[in-house]
Amino acid sequence: MNALFLGLGSIGQRHLRNLSKIDNKIKLFAVRKKYFTPNLNKKNQAVKTDIKKKYKITYFKSLEELYSSQIKIDLAFICTPSIYHVDEAISLIKRNINVFIEKPLGSSLKNISKLTNLIKSKKNIKHMMGYQLKFNPIILKLKKILDKNTIGNIWHVNIHHGENINDFHPYEDYRHSYAARKDLGGGVVLCQIHELDYLLFLFEKYKIKIINSYSKKLTDLHINVEDTFVSSIQISKRNKKALCNIHLNFYEKPKKRIIEILGEKGKISCNLNTGEIFIFNEKKIKKIEFKFDRNDVFKKQVKYFLDSIKNNKKIDQRYDVLNGIKSLSLALNLKKNK
């Protein structure tokens, strides 16, 4: 099999390392126009290793140069800045190449209809989004707890994700990262879109209604995108309504990533950073602890994608690109609903 990487930044190199561990017989190709990101190890630390030699990667300067080579590509990882994702996906799928697209799907809805129609016409093509939290055992356990109606009807959900942009990539100046730049699709809403995606995943049977939202740059960070986002969303099912509050930011230290859910029979508190879920129910407290290597979640995701291709299995619709459109649409609606 031949695998293509569009972009070898932090996430591209992570997928490259994991794919090579899963199947070291896969031949690797990459389109790499710029070399801003150094070669990284699994801890995201810059190393002197020559990534091209280590993984025997064949480089191309553009997709057009790759297509001209007539090399058959079986699967591609789109790991470029988000503004390029949709057009790159369209180009690859047209040539019957299975695609894995890093989140978010894009920074606007431009050409989304074109991509949707193409996907629906290419039924044999596998397509998947890079929302690895849906492979995270903490999120999966939380979903099981909710699906069992452990705390009864849901009344309130609080989601908080704050992390300092300086800590994202220790090897680079945050000012040059895509997260800090409007022209590359940055900003806290799209960069931390995982929170919106797992909200849709955890409450997939609920209807979503935006009540209000606020996104703005409040700090003196050298960025031209929003660093703060707060929103209130109504989720409802069978005439039962709940309020969901979401807070995202680019400046919090120490970082904080929690989900709190209040219901008629108790409360669930989930900490994604410490790996803990607390269930408070009828004066009892149950603690569930998770210990796992963070990279294992990314590895499971890539393995799922690769197995789907090798065994011609349909990608679960909760993981595919059409589902990624839902997350992107919600994010963009929240950004404009000021």
Side-chain angles (χ1 to χ4, degrees):
M1 295 181 74
N2 295 330
L4 171 69
F5 284 82
L6 299 186
L8 282 173
S10 171
I11 191 63
Q13 290 190 38
R14 182 185 291 276
H15 292 323
L16 172 69
R17 291 192 299 269
N18 287 334
L19 181 66
S20 298
K21 289 178 181 178
I22 294 168
D23 188 342
N24 60 13
K25 294 182 180 180
I26 292 179
K27 293 182 179 179
L28 302 170
F29 301 83
V31 171
R32 202 176 189 190
K33 300 176 183 178
K34 300 177 181 179
Y35 298 81
F36 290 149
T37 305
N39 301 331
L40 305 170
N41 61 19
K42 62 182 181 180
K43 294 182 179 180
N44 256 2
Q45 299 169 327
V47 293
K48 294 182 180 179
T49 306
D50 187 327
I51 192 172
K52 183 179 180 181
K53 289 182 179 179
K54 181 177 181 179
Y55 295 100
K56 300 178 182 178
I57 307 171
T58 301
Y59 279 1
F60 292 92
K61 293 181 179 179
S62 67
L63 277 175
E64 289 68 30
E65 184 182 357
L66 170 68
Y67 297 150
S68 296
S69 73
Q70 297 186 341
I71 294 171
K72 183 183 181 300
I73 299 296
D74 300 290
L75 63 153
F77 290 81
I78 300 177
C79 305
T80 50
S82 54
I83 58 165
Y84 305 119
H85 289 181
V86 172
D87 289 341
E88 288 170 341
I90 289 172
S91 177
L92 293 165
I93 294 172
K94 276 184 177 178
R95 289 164 177 81
N96 299 314
I97 298 172
N98 303 295
V99 296
F100 181 103
I101 308 175
E102 255 311 311
K103 64 83 188 171
L105 178 57
S107 57
S108 73
L109 294 180
K110 182 181 179 182
N111 288 333
I112 289 293
S113 295
K114 185 176 180 181
L115 176 61
T116 301
N117 292 333
L118 181 62
I119 285 173
K120 290 180 178 178
S121 69
K122 299 272 190 176
K123 298 186 183 300
N124 292 327
I125 294 299
K126 309 293 185 270
H127 50 91
M128 186 170 172
M129 288 296 305
Y131 285 111
Q132 78 277 356
L133 283 185
K134 284 183 282 197
F135 288 81
N136 186 306
I138 304 171
I139 292 293
L140 293 176
K141 182 63 176 179
L142 181 57
K143 181 161 180 59
K144 286 183 179 180
I145 293 169
L146 291 171
D147 288 348
K148 289 181 180 179
N149 203 33
T150 303
I151 59 171
N153 292 323
I154 304 301
W155 290 336
H156 186 262
V157 179
N158 180 51
I159 292 173
H160 182 109
H161 183 190
E163 188 171 3
N164 198 288
I165 194 173
N166 278 291
D167 300 330
F168 286 6
H169 298 149
Y171 55 83
E172 70 176 351
D173 186 327
Y174 78 87
R175 294 173 296 179
H176 304 310
S177 69
Y178 99 92
R181 297 173 53 182
K182 185 177 182 179
D183 62 321
L184 295 180
V188 74
V189 177
L190 291 177
C191 290
Q192 295 182 352
I193 195 173
H194 281 296
E195 267 54 35
L196 302 179
D197 187 72
Y198 74 59
L199 171 68
L200 296 177
F201 176 64
L202 293 174
F203 299 100
E204 60 183 338
K205 296 179 181 179
Y206 287 70
K207 292 181 179 179
I208 302 289
K209 179 182 178 182
I210 299 172
I211 299 174
N212 57 60
S213 65
Y214 173 88
S215 59
K216 199 170 183 66
K217 180 181 179 293
L218 296 179
T219 71
D220 57 359
L221 285 167
H222 297 286
I223 62 178
N224 63 358
V225 289
E226 80 281 353
D227 58 20
T228 305
F229 170 77
V230 292
S231 178
S232 293
I233 296 173
Q234 177 184 284
I235 60 174
S236 60
K237 182 175 71 171
R238 294 194 295 271
N239 297 321
K240 299 292 184 179
K241 299 177 181 179
L243 180 67
C244 176
N245 292 327
I246 303 172
H247 173 89
L248 310 173
N249 74 68
F250 266 169
Y251 44 80
E252 189 164 353
K253 282 191 175 186
K255 62 184 179 180
K256 178 181 176 182
R257 200 172 196 182
I258 62 167
I259 309 165
E260 294 176 323
I261 304 169
L262 307 181
E264 62 179 335
K265 297 179 182 178
K267 171 184 173 181
I268 302 169
S269 181
C270 175
N271 190 317
L272 290 171
N273 289 331
T274 63
E276 297 171 317
I277 294 178
F278 290 90
I279 304 173
F280 303 85
N281 198 335
E282 297 178 353
K283 298 182 180 181
K284 295 179 182 179
I285 301 175
K286 180 179 180 181
K287 180 181 180 181
I288 307 172
E289 293 184 90
F290 299 84
K291 293 183 180 180
F292 58 92
D293 188 319
R294 179 172 175 266
N295 186 62
D296 288 343
V297 176
F298 291 91
K299 196 172 180 180
K300 285 179 181 178
Q301 186 185 37
V302 169
K303 188 176 187 304
Y304 178 92
F305 179 57
L306 187 60
D307 287 346
S308 297
I309 295 169
K310 287 183 175 181
N311 300 309
N312 195 25
K313 292 182 180 179
K314 182 178 174 59
I315 300 282
D316 189 309
Q317 63 181 8
R318 293 175 295 182
Y319 307 147
D320 69 17
V321 171
L322 297 179
N323 190 74
I325 294 173
K326 295 179 182 179
S327 300
L328 177 61
S329 297
L330 176 59
L332 295 175
N333 284 333
L334 287 167
K335 284 189 71 170
K336 72 180 182 181
N337 192 289
K338 297 180 181 180

